[in-house]
Amino acid sequence: MADDNQKAKADVGKKKEDFEFAKILGEGSYSTVVLAKDKSNGQKYAMKILEKKHIIKEKKVAYVNREKEVLSKIKHPLFVRLYFTFQDSDKLYFGLSFAERGEITPYLRKVGCFDETCTKFYTAEIVEALDYLHQLRIIHRDLKPENILLNEQWHVQITDFGTAKVLEPGSSQCRADSFVGTAEYVSPELLTSKNACYASDLWALGCILFQFTAGFPPFHGANEYQCFQKITKGEYSIPDGFPAPIADLIEKILILEPTERLGAEEKGGFGPLKQHDFFEDIKWDTLMEQKPPPIKAYLPGQDLHSDMNVLDGMDADGQDDFDGSLLLAGLGLADQSKPLASQSDDRKALLAKQESNSPWSPFCNGELILKAGLVDKRKGFSCKRRQLICTDGPHLYYVDPVAMVLKGEIPWSEHMQLEMKNFKTFFIHTPNRTYFLEDPSGEAQQWVTLIENLQKKKKSVN
Ligand code: ADE
């Protein structure tokens, strides 16, 4: 902190020319955040740049002033810090802490959902941050995973105070202006009575805790209206297999009446929230000195999906029945003693056979199917049964086997890594996402070997 204070003091009277601007870190409706390096000492900042004309035209001057006012009050490691501001003829510049790891969302997307340890640690840091914020009488009002950044040591740094409010002493709620937060995390009181209070941030916390564990937020709809409908009715359901202490905590936070939420002033404030069973082993006093747990996925119990039965009308194991010979041919492992022309004749013949026999052929763009079979594709608590098709493209397509619709593909990449968990479960780690796949017929090893061999083959060709 002493270091932070020195940095802040040393940085008065900055101007644009003092910085080298690099990549864009984020873009919003009214601002762009750019990585900026102080030429004098190499210090990196996340420079939030706002165009004056645009702010005035969109009538957001009050929000910009509010953000500066609020950020100036916050001096805590769990928040981005405002080190300096300056302006030129057409822009405003806010010099903020640079959170090296960026938003928490891509990590959540990559693993689908967090395991219990990870959920607990990151939720605890958000709780600690809110405790501090509310002591300063500030309501964030737009807490969501996109506003939760991670610093180099993987600790939380909360950002975006453009819609925050500072309450008068003794006041416990504020009238909402035209602003309504992000649909999925907005509290029911903001929708029904247009009031926000400290407990509105607790509502968002409950939604985030749910999302960390499930992989998706508790309230969602085809559009904002449907989402709002669910929120005002408090209509959400906790998926089977949710760890009991997390389910209990969510149920104590996602309560329509704000004063009834665990953590609300009327319920004794943050003390009882921090003492909830879920946080039993959290050492609150040293959170920021602790090494955050590695971000890992939670895989709910397998019995969760026992009700999935889309196999009706298919082969017993849903396997394509002619992957053996194709596999050899497609891998280029077919009889190498044959002349090349005859090998390509083989491929043509196999393609012709595939076109007349395989229901998956229309999804494969004329490529040869090397292996196809049903897998459960899991993302957090959602689990979809898909026909996974590996072709000599190479491509990994997945098809909804009931609707017979191509749902997507696992992007092939040379950086893709295969991980075999057990005879049914395997992971495909791509740069942006990890795919959790379960082959109910127990052929995880065959999938892994096939895909790894294709990768090797592709590398040797390139
Ligand atoms: N994106 C938006 N704000 C940021 C910050 N302060 N650090 C890193 N990435 C960001």
Side-chain angles (χ1 to χ4, degrees), residues 227-399:
C227 185
F228 291 162
Q229 288 277 307
K230 288 187 181 163
I231 292 169
T232 50
K233 290 187 212 149
E235 202 178 285
Y236 73 97
S237 57
I238 291 186
D240 293 342
F242 235 65
I246 303 184
D248 185 77
L249 180 51
I250 288 170
E251 280 161 3
K252 289 184 167 118
I253 296 176
L254 293 182
I255 295 175
L256 289 179
E257 172 52 47
T259 58
E260 290 297 315
R261 290 173 203 153
L262 189 59
E265 284 172 299
E266 295 80 355
K267 294 291 270 185
F270 280 85
L273 172 57
K274 290 179 175 179
Q275 279 151 28
H276 186 275
D277 281 354
F278 178 51
F279 296 125
E280 200 188 311
D281 46 354
I282 287 286
K283 310 253 179 313
W284 291 98
D285 296 339
T286 57
L287 257 188
M288 273 87 70
E289 288 104 70
Q290 291 166 32
K291 189 168 180 261
I295 293 179
K296 281 206 196 117
Y298 173 60
L299 289 176
Q302 309 210 343
D303 55 341
L304 192 68
H305 312 292
S306 55
D307 58 341
M308 294 192 42
N309 198 352
V310 292
L311 285 166
D312 297 355
M314 303 188 75
D315 294 350
D317 62 359
Q319 295 289 320
D320 207 292
D321 57 357
F322 62 116
D323 53 338
S325 56
L326 297 185
L327 195 134
L328 294 177
L331 281 173
L333 304 173
D335 190 351
Q336 299 287 339
S337 60
K338 279 192 186 174
L340 276 177
S342 127
Q343 279 183 35
S344 75
D345 285 351
D346 282 353
R347 189 173 184 277
K348 267 192 206 141
L350 289 163
L351 268 174
K353 187 179 168 210
Q354 174 180 300
E355 260 154 46
S356 54
N357 290 346
S358 172
W360 315 113
S361 192
F363 305 107
C364 299
N365 294 318
E367 295 156 15
L368 203 53
I369 298 172
L370 306 178
K371 180 170 175 64
L374 285 172
V375 295
D376 290 333
K377 190 169 145 287
R378 304 169 68 172
K379 195 173 175 203
F381 277 77
S382 101
C383 175
K384 306 236 162 71
R385 187 152 284 187
R386 297 286 178 243
Q387 184 76 5
L388 182 64
I389 307 162
C390 180
T391 69
D392 63 354
H395 281 283
L396 284 160
Y397 301 107
Y398 50 89
V399 172

